[in-house]
Amino acid sequence: MTLNRRQFIGTTAAVAATLSAPIVKAQGKPRVVVVGGGAGGATAARYLAKDSKGAIDVTLIEPTRKYYTCFFSNLYLGGFKEIEDIGHTYGGLAAGGVNVVHDWAVGVDRDAKTVSLAGGGTVPYDKLILSPGIDFVEGAVEGWGLSAQNAMPHAYKAGSQSELLKAQLMAMPAGGTFAMVAPPNPFRCPPGPYERVSMVAHFLKQNNPTAKIIVADPKPKFSKMALFQEGWANHYEGMVDWIGEEFGGGNVSVDPDAMTVTIDGEETKVDVCNVIPAMKAGRIAELAGVTDGNWAPVNAADMSTKADADIYVLGDASSQGDMPKSGFSANSQAKVCANAVRGALTGSKVFPAKFSNTCWSLIAPNDGVKVGATYEATPEKIAKVDGFISQTGESADLRKATYEESEGWYTGITTDMLG
Amino acid sequence: MHLVQLLSAIALAAFCTTAVADEFGDPVAGEEVFRKCKSCHQLGEGAKHRIGPHLNGLFGRRAASHEDFRYSKALVRAGTGGLEWHADTLDAFLESPRRLASGTRMSFAGLKKAEDRLNLIAYLRSFSDSPANIPEADPTASPTDHDLDPAILALKGDPEYGEYLSSECTTCHQADGRNDGIPSIVLWPKEDFVLAMHAYKNKTRAHPVMQMMAGRLNAEEIAALAAYFSALEQ
């Protein structure tokens, strides 16, 4: 008998599955620790607590008491949302049986299977789920560092940075210049910088119509490019100057004291500068030793790391294949992971991984667009198998419906994450 | 190990065989096949046009769309007529270039073995945009045909499976039945639910997200979802 590749994989998996009996503890419940209360971590914690019906002890470690979603934070910049509209507390998770600990996770001892906290003490785990989001690569943009983030905000972790950028936008002199330094691939929310350009343009069109926007971009193209460029031409004619790779958009330095941006040797004085540097996995993933380069490689079937079968990484911090780094992706991955972790700990049924993502972007009032895809687990990665994107030239009615859909989705996903 | 656990372990193993979508071919084997193309086409970092155009960023591109390459009239005509390079059109072209563009200058008889074409296409795909960076970029795998799988067919009517599947719905549809921007799906009669999902699946009902989501659910999965949502109303 000869085995083809597919049969071979099946056989190996059968043996592995038969041998790995669920962890049944002699006393006490199995413990899951989740680090990071964003779209990945909050969803995983909530689903584990909800679906295990008390059979698993779930602890969420999240330093902030209030979580501001990165998704829709551009709509706050554009004036479509108030900051409090995108702020959420963790009370719903706590009420749902998750032990919410507001502290920083600062270390992982993989032998002892404990997470250490900045406030002292350690938390033991049987399974550890890391969903720490992003940090920035040091020195990614010449002249910029964390000490410069007040002069030149990134606003790519929502909250105080979003409020700062909005305040600077409101204080821009008439006819001033807003600059953005866009990030290289891969980065959180592929359409995010360009939705932000749209929202800033909308704000300026209302309040400062002679102002200009320049975008220095190290990439030759970006997600929904034709849709954004069509929208910028239709709604904000002549306002947005996008400088891509071909014109030196990747050759950028900034001077936060002088408020200048130098693009391909040409220095420009600007009034606001939004620097979105290159990104990497949130630091705890590196401290846990599960990263390879900037991101944490994971197995597509359950989001377990390649480095440690008892540590899972969700969302932006993971390197999984074809899914974009988005809140929707993290939420989708969290459900697959929670199902697998619960199965491993309690013997509940484990269903096949199904992943999906949709990213909505707002270009102008009632002008919403979207891109979405479905994905499956292959032995190598999470692979895209189907998808769609809004088309240029769509009717105003359809664009309005798409925007309204995004608002419904926002309510849906935040409830799905946080209860 | 309890019998239930053993059964679920077997079920898990069965899933592992079906959840694998590897119909796209093997890029490593495709690199071998590409040796036949190499004398005319460059690929990878720094690739330039030679006798044929370079093949970076091929997927999703209109045929004959490099402005700095002189194509045959036949290929220009095909491009103007709407030919774009995707896995399916490349498969047809690679099998017989003249089939898609009579008069193409690509003097290549074609790859007769389907496996060679699948592997080559998988290899070529790795030099185009990644969906991780450009979500709308072409797929990198084929969807699994769950319909053919007896292990999943056996799940008929499993409310637990329905609950798991429903977690994909609740990312957008609000569990409390609110109806702002995205319609409510709770308290739907089971039959209406099944009818609607099948209509999305076969694309008679319009909405790209729902067509995509329903498109990969088989009849039993739709039934499991309907069972779960209808159980909610009691």
Side-chain angles (χ1 to χ4, degrees):
Chain A
M1 177 184 151
T2 56
L3 287 175
N4 66 27
R5 185 155 79 104
R6 179 164 280 215
Q7 286 163 339
F8 176 73
I9 291 164
T11 314
T12 324
V15 172
T18 312
L19 293 179
S20 62
I23 298 169
V24 180
K25 300 196 80 68
Q27 45 185 302
K29 298 177 198 170
R31 293 159 303 196
V32 176
V33 174
V34 182
V35 177
T43 306
R46 178 165 174 265
Y47 272 74
L48 279 165
K50 174 172 79 70
D51 293 342
S52 75
K53 299 177 177 67
I56 297 175
D57 198 24
V58 184
T59 299
L60 173 69
I61 300 168
E62 163 57 49
T64 65
R65 282 164 175 75
K66 195 152 195 185
Y67 163 61
Y68 292 91
T69 59
C70 251
F71 42 98
F72 272 33
S73 65
N74 286 329
L75 274 62
Y76 158 69
L77 292 176
F80 294 88
K81 299 285 165 203
E82 300 298 323
I83 192 76
E84 285 317 312
D85 293 340
I86 60 167
H88 306 267
T89 64
Y90 291 96
L93 283 186
V98 176
N99 177 19
V100 181
V101 176
H102 290 301
D103 204 338
W104 280 97
V106 291
V108 175
D109 183 334
R110 279 162 51 184
D111 296 324
K113 297 183 91 170
T114 57
V115 178
S116 52
L117 303 177
T122 57
V123 188
Y125 68 82
D126 295 305
K127 296 281 190 184
L128 174 62
I129 300 173
L130 302 176
S131 191
I134 52 141
D135 274 320
F136 299 113
V137 174
E138 257 178 72
V141 175
E142 195 188 326
W144 193 89
L146 283 184
S147 59
Q149 71 171 16
N150 257 54
M152 295 187 167
H154 54 77
Y156 230 66
K157 299 180 187 183
S160 56
Q161 277 277 307
S162 318
E163 292 181 282
L164 175 63
L165 186 61
K166 177 79 181 265
Q168 293 180 353
L169 185 59
M170 291 168 77
M172 256 176 77
T177 301
F178 180 102
M180 173 191 281
V181 177
N185 290 325
F187 62 97
R188 159 180 285 181
C189 189
Y194 313 98
E195 180 186 58
R196 176 170 296 175
V197 166
S198 309
M199 291 294 93
V200 167
H202 169 71
F203 178 89
L204 293 174
K205 187 178 172 183
Q206 310 298 310
N207 300 286
N208 191 349
T210 55
K212 294 269 180 263
I213 300 171
I214 50 174
V215 184
D217 201 325
K219 304 181 292 297
K221 59 172 155 175
F222 53 84
S223 179
K224 301 176 183 166
M225 187 164 174
L227 296 164
F228 281 117
Q229 291 187 332
E230 176 193 54
W232 296 344
N234 287 345
H235 302 292
Y236 317 116
E237 199 190 343
M239 190 181 260
V240 182
D241 183 13
W242 179 77
I243 302 164
E245 181 199 37
E246 200 186 345
F247 298 99
N251 180 16
V252 176
S253 64
V254 297
D255 184 338
D257 297 323
M259 281 306 284
T260 57
V261 181
T262 304
I263 305 169
D264 209 23
E266 192 179 324
E267 187 182 273
T268 308
K269 180 92 175 77
V270 300
D271 300 290
V272 180
C273 187
N274 175 207
V275 176
I276 310 173
M279 297 169 202
K280 60 179 183 179
R283 179 142 169 78
I284 190 68
E286 189 185 338
L287 292 173
V290 295
T291 52
D292 180 6
N294 286 338
W295 310 100
V298 295
N299 298 301
D302 61 359
M303 304 302 289
S304 61
T305 55
K306 305 270 189 191
D308 187 328
D310 290 324
I311 302 183
Y312 302 72
V313 175
L314 304 178
D316 296 351
S318 68
S319 164
Q320 35 66 25
D322 288 352
M323 293 184 84
K325 298 184 186 301
S326 74
F328 198 125
S329 293
N331 170 270
S332 172
Q333 293 160 9
K335 291 166 188 173
V336 169
C337 175
N339 187 256
V341 166
R342 186 163 61 92
L345 294 177
T346 69
S348 64
K349 281 184 206 162
V350 177
F351 297 110
K354 284 195 177 199
F355 301 98
S356 55
N357 175 65
T358 302
C359 295
W360 286 268
S361 304
L362 187 61
I363 298 177
N366 289 319
D367 191 357
V369 293
K370 60 186 169 183
V371 60
T374 51
Y375 310 83
E376 288 186 13
T378 74
E380 292 83 27
K381 63 172 182 176
I382 298 179
K384 175 175 170 177
V385 295
D386 193 12
F388 69 87
I389 182 167
S390 297
Q391 301 299 305
T392 52
E394 283 172 347
S395 74
D397 285 348
L398 178 55
R399 291 295 178 87
K400 181 167 184 280
T402 302
Y403 171 58
E404 287 169 355
E405 194 177 274
S406 74
E407 291 205 293
W409 163 75
Y410 186 88
T411 312
I413 192 173
T414 49
T415 309
D416 195 44
M417 288 161 55
L418 298 159
Chain B
M1 188 185 265
H2 293 301
L3 179 62
V4 177
Q5 287 162 1
L6 179 66
L7 287 176
S8 64
I10 291 167
L12 171 66
F15 282 136
C16 290
T17 62
T18 59
V20 172
D22 59 356
E23 250 48 278
F24 225 71
D26 175 5
V28 178
E31 189 173 359
E32 271 305 297
V33 182
F34 186 70
R35 290 167 64 161
K36 294 185 173 145
C37 321
K38 258 181 165 168
S39 53
C40 298
H41 292 285
Q42 288 194 353
L43 192 57
E45 210 180 324
K48 293 194 169 43
H49 302 319
R50 296 276 297 272
I51 297 167
H54 78 73
L55 299 175
N56 292 342
L58 181 64
F59 284 73
R61 198 166 67 201
R62 189 167 46 81
S65 58
H66 277 301
E67 283 172 16
D68 54 349
F69 185 80
R70 220 167 64 79
Y71 295 92
S72 65
K73 275 186 188 154
L75 210 65
V76 171
R77 200 179 303 118
T80 312
L83 177 64
E84 282 185 0
W85 296 126
H86 300 288
D88 54 347
T89 51
L90 281 169
D91 186 63
F93 188 68
L94 288 169
E95 186 179 10
S96 167
R98 280 172 303 164
R99 189 163 80 193
L100 287 199
S102 322
T104 173
R105 269 194 221 110
M106 184 158 124
S107 52
F108 180 69
L111 292 168
K112 295 307 161 214
K113 280 170 70 180
E115 193 186 344
D116 284 349
R117 297 196 301 273
L118 288 178
N119 292 341
L120 176 61
I121 287 165
Y123 178 64
L124 291 172
R125 178 66 191 84
S126 59
F127 294 90
S128 288
D129 293 327
S130 163
N133 300 325
I134 308 271
E136 61 268 33
D138 273 26
T140 67
S142 321
T144 309
D145 195 348
H146 289 269
D147 280 337
L148 295 177
D149 194 276
I152 293 194
L153 290 177
L155 281 169
K156 186 170 181 175
D158 184 341
E160 213 182 318
Y161 190 39
E163 183 175 2
Y164 170 72
L165 291 171
S166 79
S167 70
E168 227 173 13
C169 314
T170 54
T171 302
C172 299
H173 295 280
Q174 290 130 69
D176 66 0
R178 264 191 292 179
N179 198 0
D180 38 3
I182 289 182
S184 164
I185 52 170
V186 299
L187 301 176
W188 263 29
K190 207 161 155 179
E191 208 180 291
D192 287 13
F193 185 95
V194 172
L195 281 173
M197 291 298 280
H198 280 282
Y200 284 125
K201 185 175 165 68
N202 65 27
K203 299 194 195 292
T204 49
R205 193 163 163 154
H207 193 277
V209 180
M210 285 310 304
Q211 287 179 353
M212 180 179 82
M213 303 306 282
R216 60 174 179 168
L217 296 171
N218 68 25
E220 274 66 29
E221 289 174 313
I222 290 172
L225 272 172
Y228 170 71
F229 280 114
S230 70
L232 274 189
E233 51 186 292
Q234 281 140 28

